Amino acid sequence: KSGLDPGGAWHAWGMACLKAGNLTSAREKFIRCLKPPMDLNQLNNGSRLVQDVIQYLESTVKPVLITDDDYFATLRELEATLRTRSLSLEMMCEGKIQHNSYYQECLFYLHSYGTNLAIISFYMRHDCMREALLHLLNKESPSEVFIEGIFIPSYKSGKLHMLENLLETIDPGLESWGVYLIAACKYLQRKNYYHILYELQQFMKDHVRAAMTCIRFFTHGAKSYTELGGKQAWLLKIKDHLKVYLQEVSRSSGRKKMACTFRKKMSATDVSRHINTVDLQMEVTKFLHQCESSGASQVTDSSLPTLFGNNNMKMDVACKVILEGKNIEEGFGIAFRVLQDFQLEATEVYSKVAKQLVKQQKYSEIQQLLKCVNESGVAAKNDGDNIILNCLNEFKNIPAEDLDNLIQDMDSDENKIQAYMLCNKLRSAYLVSVRQEKGRAVQLVQHVRQMAESSGDDVVKAICAQWL
């Protein structure tokens, strides 16, 4: 008559029937007020009304395990034992309830009015992980339901191994679980739970991704190559994963087999290249660790470069190796291999090294660097000259004697003239210019005269004019 929603009354009546133990009447009353969710895969436990029903049913019957010491139980415990037994409770050795009317009643309400997450969470609460997994598969629930309902509760309660065993029992190839396992890996990565991630990747036999996680363990948080020296076991693990992957690829290529959809793929060539990178990183780590231990290391960087970074970082590794040895020659061989293996811009690296040596006022070592570059066998004709010119572009205050030594080490007279003019040594530029072939000498001397005029050097200007 008053037009009020009768749902609340039906719910209260249904709860009263439940509390009286009249399960059939309760169902009849709840049919009138409970509704199934619009989307079974929504990430919640359904309506508040359904949750109240489940909560009551679960709290009413607490399963009691029968032990030999039961005669010591208090009267209240004994009464509880008798009451649960009268509801045809049977306990399995794992503690699962098989035939409990209240348990079955929960399932009725969950399947009729609950979400997939609510059903799965119920199974998980009652140690029925297998049933939870089968429900997930049968309903083809999205990966978010797996993460929220099964994966998070499993690792939080220390049951990750149990989960892994069940996944393998249900589908030994793990193909059915591929989408869910990849989602779990992404979740762990977002949370920075890399140790659990690594364990899961090993279970998945996803060797390429496991190797990538090992790279993170090796590089993350290290502030020096001394620290990286203590983490070299991770480099061996990277190699192990990549070698196992290569073996599996070569084994499966022989037989026709449905391709696995969720494990990361990589060509054999790429895998071999990565194994070479690991070998080279081991060599770099040992060398720089030794340099730091002996106190030879003088360069301190805020970030620690490794060969697992981009090309700029690899170039930084090459620079670091050349600069941190006892002398230039000691680390040049390893640095040269880094440049060759990754096809890096060698002149750019050598120029960076030379600039560092100028900053450290180690001018004789620049000459040693040029010697190593020339002896490497792959240097272009003007590489050495360009390294010096790059230095002179930035540093004008090199002591006169060292400057002369560097410029005289240059191969091309044209480059020597350019270098002298860069440093405003116009008389020296003039002396080299006049030694050139007549036509070219005239052009060069004219250029020197213009420079002398603009810089106010009347002496050199007069010499040039007289020669011309």
Side-chain angles (χ1 to χ4, degrees):
K1 284 180 181 179
S2 59
L4 294 172
D5 177 22
W10 284 115
H11 187 261
W13 197 353
M15 289 301 288
C17 292
L18 273 189
K19 286 170 186 173
N22 192 340
L23 303 182
T24 313
S25 293
R27 284 189 187 191
E28 290 166 4
K29 308 300 177 282
F30 285 130
I31 283 171
R32 297 173 181 274
C33 63
L34 298 180
K35 290 174 186 168
M38 298 287 284
D39 175 16
L40 288 172
N41 287 320
Q42 61 197 43
L43 290 180
N44 58 43
N45 289 318
S47 72
R48 184 68 254 171
L49 299 180
V50 177
Q51 288 178 54
D52 288 345
V53 172
I54 302 302
Q55 208 173 337
Y56 174 74
L57 287 168
E58 282 186 301
S59 64
T60 303
V61 178
K62 295 272 190 253
V64 178
L65 280 166
I66 311 302
T67 65
D68 294 338
D69 300 331
D70 257 13
Y71 50 84
F72 289 121
T74 61
L75 282 172
R76 197 179 299 126
E77 285 169 334
L78 191 59
E79 192 180 331
T81 306
L82 291 169
R83 189 166 67 246
T84 51
R85 275 187 187 164
S86 70
L87 291 164
S88 71
L89 175 71
E90 287 181 24
M91 295 299 295
M92 284 175 70
C93 55
E94 300 91 26
K96 288 184 182 175
I97 312 169
Q98 272 188 317
H99 307 297
N100 176 283
S101 52
Y102 276 68
Y103 174 84
Q104 297 303 328
E105 205 63 19
C106 283
L107 286 178
F108 166 76
Y109 286 107
L110 286 167
H111 283 288
S112 305
Y113 310 110
T115 60
N116 285 326
L117 181 59
I119 297 166
I120 285 167
S121 299
F122 174 80
Y123 281 134
M124 292 295 286
R125 280 198 301 279
H126 292 277
D127 292 330
C128 301
M129 194 185 283
R130 183 187 173 84
E131 288 78 356
L133 288 166
L134 291 172
H135 182 85
L136 181 88
L137 267 191
N138 292 337
K139 299 295 177 186
E140 296 180 352
S141 293
S143 49
E144 292 82 4
V145 174
F146 170 73
I147 301 290
E148 288 294 323
I150 299 175
F151 186 71
I152 294 175
S154 294
Y155 81 71
K156 281 191 174 175
S157 58
K159 292 180 180 172
L160 192 57
H161 284 299
M162 188 197 292
L163 171 62
E164 290 171 352
N165 290 338
L166 279 169
L167 293 175
E168 214 163 22
T169 307
I170 295 167
D171 178 3
L174 300 178
E175 281 299 324
S176 320
W177 307 113
V179 177
Y180 300 118
L181 288 168
I182 293 295
C185 289
K186 285 178 180 171
Y187 166 82
L188 292 169
Q189 203 166 359
R190 278 198 308 276
K191 290 280 187 182
N192 288 329
Y193 295 162
Y194 284 94
H195 289 280
I196 304 174
L197 173 65
Y198 181 52
E199 188 186 324
L200 189 62
Q201 286 167 337
Q202 289 179 92
F203 161 72
M204 291 160 66
K205 297 183 175 63
D206 194 347
H207 293 292
V208 175
R209 287 194 180 97
M212 288 158 76
T213 305
C214 290
I215 289 174
R216 193 205 181 260
F217 284 134
F218 175 71
T219 56
H220 184 69
K223 294 282 186 287
S224 69
Y225 261 89
T226 304
E227 278 182 55
L228 287 184
K231 295 168 92 175
Q232 287 189 80
W234 288 113
L235 293 176
L236 295 171
K237 285 188 178 182
I238 298 168
K239 273 183 77 171
D240 290 343
H241 284 299
L242 294 175
K243 282 177 178 174
V244 171
Y245 177 78
L246 273 182
Q247 286 166 5
E248 287 182 358
V249 167
S250 61
R251 213 179 296 137
S252 61
S253 62
R255 36 189 149 102
K256 287 184 180 177
K257 189 179 165 188
M258 193 179 77
C260 169
T261 51
F262 66 91
R263 294 180 185 98
K264 190 166 178 66
K265 305 278 188 304
M266 195 177 273
S267 72
T269 315
D270 283 347
V271 174
S272 300
R273 197 161 41 78
H274 286 305
I275 290 173
N276 288 339
T277 301
V278 174
D279 285 334
L280 199 46
Q281 181 62 56
M282 286 177 98
E283 214 171 320
V284 166
T285 306
K286 281 174 189 164
F287 178 77
L288 291 175
H289 181 198
Q290 220 169 355
C291 293
E292 287 180 6
S293 304
S294 66
S297 170
Q298 292 170 345
V299 185
T300 51
D301 290 317
S302 51
S303 63
L304 196 65
T306 69
L307 298 177
F308 300 118
N310 57 21
N311 277 357
N312 285 338
M313 193 183 265
K314 290 178 180 120
M315 287 163 89
D316 288 345
V317 171
C319 290
K320 198 172 176 68
V321 169
I322 295 173
L323 286 164
E324 295 209 5
K326 287 198 271 300
N327 53 47
I328 294 298
E329 215 169 335
E330 192 185 21
F332 189 85
I334 298 173
F336 183 71
R337 276 179 42 219
V338 170
L339 297 174
Q340 291 292 295
D341 281 14
F342 299 106
Q343 297 179 333
L344 301 173
E345 190 53 61
T347 313
E348 196 180 325
V349 171
Y350 299 144
S351 294
K352 275 176 91 171
V353 171
K355 285 171 189 175
Q356 278 292 336
L357 292 170
V358 172
K359 277 184 187 173
Q360 295 168 18
Q361 300 183 338
K362 294 180 175 176
Y363 305 110
S364 61
E365 292 203 15
I366 297 176
Q367 290 169 293
Q368 199 182 1
L369 172 68
L370 296 174
K371 181 172 171 280
C372 290
V373 171
N374 290 328
E375 288 173 358
S376 67
V378 294
K381 190 184 173 191
N382 281 330
D383 275 1
D385 290 6
N386 289 333
I387 292 165
I388 295 172
L389 285 171
N390 283 333
C391 275
L392 300 180
N393 269 323
E394 268 191 51
F395 304 99
K396 306 287 188 279
N397 54 349
I398 299 172
E401 190 184 338
D402 295 306
L403 187 61
D404 279 335
N405 289 339
L406 284 175
I407 295 174
Q408 277 161 28
D409 275 348
M410 295 173 90
D411 293 323
S412 150
D413 280 350
E414 297 264 345
N415 288 333
K416 283 180 184 176
I417 295 162
Q418 193 185 337
Y420 281 130
M421 289 205 277
L422 267 174
C423 304
N424 222 25
K425 286 180 162 284
L426 300 180
R427 187 182 181 84
S428 301
Y430 162 78
L431 290 171
V432 180
S433 298
V434 295
R435 292 206 306 264
Q436 307 309 304
E437 177 268 320
K438 202 67 164 208
R440 183 67 184 137
V442 170
Q443 290 175 329
L444 292 168
V445 173
Q446 282 174 338
H447 190 200
V448 174
R449 186 178 68 172
Q450 285 168 4
M451 287 274 295
E453 200 173 334
S454 58
S455 65
D457 190 336
D458 295 331
V459 176
V460 174
K461 183 185 163 188
I463 294 170
C464 291
Q466 189 181 349
W467 185 88
L468 288 165

